[in-house]
Amino acid sequence: MDINSLLSSFQRSDYQRDNFDAFLKKVRFSFSLPAIHIAGTNGKGSTASYLAAIYQQNGYKVGRFTSPYLFEVNEMIVVNGTPISDDDFLNIFNEYEKLFRKYDLSAFEIETLIAFNYFMKEACDICVIECGMGGEIDATNIFVPILSIITSISLEHTDFLGHTISEIAEQKCGIIKDKIPLLIDEFDQDAVATIYKEAKNKQTPIHFIKKHIETSFDKKGISFQYHPFGLVHLNSFAPYACQDACFALEATLLLRDQFPIKVEETVNALGNVFMECRFEIIDNVILDGGHNTEAAKEVVSAINQYTNKPIHVIFACFKDKNLGSLLSYYGSLGDDLTLTTFHHPRARTQDEYFLFLGDYQFVENPIQLLKDKMEEYPDDIILITGSIAFVAYMKKEALKNV
């Protein structure tokens, strides 16, 4: 049976941990592998991918759990670069299915349980675990990590996490554990104050990533200097990727006594990581799922550094996104921004763009829209953005033969 379809029947929409905690108590589940726990509004998935690549390159068996997936659920659960097989996923699912349904678990809670179970079965040396949303009551927050990382804090998922930076920071601080080191960057003053308060209560040592220097571009991507690794090259043209890589590099320094790494292997690993749908360039099309205000700001900055060609934006997003804020950033790239929709139950339709239809054109068929733009503007840049799910959909359905 198709796993994506199977999990679609688990659609509990509330945000709580009561059901999952009751389930975990029933099955007496615990996760004790050495693991790094990552929360943050943006950058946590890329940081997880960079960390997993570094440790794999250095000879460790690495489990990586990230969300959301682009094409298949299996992508979320990876050991040494290989996604979990359908058979392995279904074997664990079938073992617990009756209890999954009895306790009315969400799809993400099920995916988390299967990932942790699979990593233990595979006897991973180290795991890298990305929070789904928030931290305090996230389904992944059921273990004591060897390092906690918070990559960024900004306003997103306000219906679930809070309406201020402090409230959102408090949720993300839920991954902070007693005396377990925490790695962060220089955040908003309110966020830092919240983090410091929680860290003091937990006797948690706080560490900061260092600033990377001497950023430069070539035909293959972006390079920067980071002490003590020297010159680091990334397979990306997005400056925001540098910060994600710095989180990964600094994390390995904090854990080097427990998990030694070699500088050359580490730098090589970062250069080989390719992040799909994150400033991914195909012909004259840029794909980036910058789906919140902070991400949109970074994408616009990256494009302005990457090219001075005219930009044509194709935009679609979910119903719960801050549409006005997103369009204010992407609209700043030029006069040509077209709204559209795609096949997803959470996607905005034409009626749900009604406040902005006086400013932007709406085209129902995004695939035909892209085809028309590519034919009309073969020498310009076309940006596909607004939602990670939309970007993945367009890569799979519209760019598969490009």
Side-chain angles (χ1 to χ4, degrees):
M1 183 178 183
D2 176 68
I3 293 174
N4 290 27
S5 299
L6 178 66
L7 291 176
S8 67
S9 63
F10 295 87
Q11 290 296 325
R12 202 190 76 234
S13 59
D14 58 338
Y15 186 55
Q16 46 95 348
R17 265 276 296 276
D18 295 343
N19 296 37
F20 195 41
D21 286 342
F23 164 85
L24 295 173
K25 183 177 180 180
K26 172 66 177 179
V27 300
R28 298 182 180 180
F29 183 82
S30 63
F31 182 68
S32 56
L33 293 177
I36 300 167
H37 204 187
I38 308 176
T41 306
N42 295 307
K44 56 186 183 294
S46 299
T47 299
S49 294
Y50 285 135
L51 268 168
I54 288 171
Y55 283 120
Q56 182 182 343
Q57 184 79 21
N58 278 276
Y60 299 101
K61 190 172 188 179
V62 186
R64 172 172 60 87
F65 181 61
T66 56
S67 67
Y69 62 88
L70 294 177
F71 308 108
E72 303 292 340
V73 172
N74 309 59
E75 302 164 25
M76 299 171 66
I77 305 169
V78 174
V79 172
N80 274 10
T82 302
I84 187 173
S85 68
D86 285 357
D87 286 345
D88 285 330
F89 189 102
L90 291 172
N91 283 341
I92 301 172
F93 177 88
N94 292 336
E95 181 181 349
Y96 292 102
E97 180 178 8
K98 290 183 179 179
L99 290 174
F100 288 160
R101 298 192 184 279
K102 177 180 178 180
Y103 286 91
D104 189 25
L105 299 193
S106 69
F108 185 70
E109 288 165 344
I110 292 169
E111 292 152 1
T112 301
L113 185 281
I114 290 175
F116 286 12
N117 197 304
Y118 181 62
F119 296 155
M120 290 191 293
K121 289 180 183 294
E122 289 292 305
C124 292
D125 298 315
I126 186 170
C127 299
V128 185
I129 309 296
E130 176 193 354
C131 284
M133 181 171 65
E136 176 68 30
I137 60 173
D138 189 77
T140 63
N141 196 25
I142 59 173
F143 68 100
V144 177
I146 56 175
L147 173 69
S148 303
I149 300 175
I150 301 177
T151 57
S152 64
I153 297 175
S154 58
L155 292 173
E156 192 187 25
H157 301 303
T158 53
D159 289 346
F160 299 102
L161 304 181
H163 296 279
T164 67
I165 290 293
S166 294
E167 289 174 344
I168 291 174
E170 188 173 348
Q171 283 289 329
K172 296 187 187 301
C173 282
I175 72 166
I176 298 176
K177 301 296 189 297
D178 289 346
K179 300 180 181 179
I180 300 299
L182 171 68
L183 179 61
I184 62 173
D185 192 11
E186 296 286 353
F187 297 143
D188 177 279
Q189 184 175 353
D190 290 339
V192 171
T194 301
I195 290 171
Y196 268 81
K197 179 180 178 181
E198 184 65 18
K200 183 178 181 180
N201 291 339
K202 299 275 182 73
Q203 301 181 58
T204 296
I206 299 178
H207 303 270
F208 291 86
I209 61 171
K210 296 185 286 288
K211 298 300 180 185
H212 59 279
I213 59 173
E214 299 178 14
T215 302
S216 61
F217 295 87
D218 59 28
K219 293 182 179 180
K220 295 183 179 180
I222 191 169
S223 299
F224 62 92
Q225 296 276 349
Y226 194 83
H227 180 75
F229 295 93
L231 184 66
V232 178
H233 178 81
L234 301 180
N235 185 16
S236 172
F237 290 93
Y240 63 75
C242 297
Q243 179 167 338
D244 303 337
C246 290
F247 268 108
L249 290 169
E250 196 64 33
T252 63
L253 294 177
L254 293 174
L255 298 174
R256 59 190 163 186
D257 290 342
Q258 188 173 355
F259 291 95
I261 49 103
K262 297 178 180 178
V263 169
E264 183 178 357
E265 297 293 344
T266 297
V267 172
N268 288 341
L270 291 180
N272 291 327
V273 174
F274 172 65
M275 301 298 299
E276 281 193 280
C277 298
R278 289 171 175 83
F279 217 82
E280 181 179 358
I281 302 170
I282 301 177
D283 199 5
N284 67 324
V285 177
I286 295 178
L287 300 156
D288 197 298
H291 62 288
N292 56 52
T293 301
E294 191 63 33
K297 179 181 177 181
E298 294 290 348
V299 173
V300 169
S301 175
I303 287 179
N304 286 331
Q305 292 181 65
Y306 173 70
T307 184
N308 56 9
K309 290 183 178 182
I311 310 297
H312 307 271
V313 182
I314 297 175
F315 179 96
C317 72
F318 286 161
K319 301 172 185 178
D320 62 341
K321 297 303 177 182
N322 186 337
L323 185 57
S325 178
L326 290 174
L327 292 180
S328 70
Y329 279 107
Y330 290 125
S332 71
L333 288 170
D335 297 327
D336 186 13
L337 186 153
T338 307
L339 303 172
T340 187
T341 189
F342 63 111
H343 297 299
H344 195 287
R346 293 173 59 196
R348 284 182 188 265
T349 61
Q350 182 173 2
D351 290 343
E352 289 157 326
Y353 287 115
F354 71 95
L355 289 175
F356 301 90
L357 295 179
D359 298 316
Y360 304 103
Q361 180 186 12
F362 178 88
V363 174
E364 183 73 26
N365 187 332
I367 296 175
Q368 186 61 49
L369 172 61
L370 176 60
K371 181 180 179 181
D372 291 344
K373 293 293 183 184
M374 293 180 74
E375 290 179 355
E376 187 175 357
Y377 304 106
D379 298 322
D380 296 352
I381 298 295
I382 299 167
L383 170 65
I384 300 175
T385 191
S387 164
I388 296 173
F390 173 58
V391 171
Y393 170 82
M394 291 297 284
K395 178 176 181 179
K396 181 178 180 181
E397 300 299 330
L399 290 168
K400 54 188 174 185
N401 296 320
V402 174

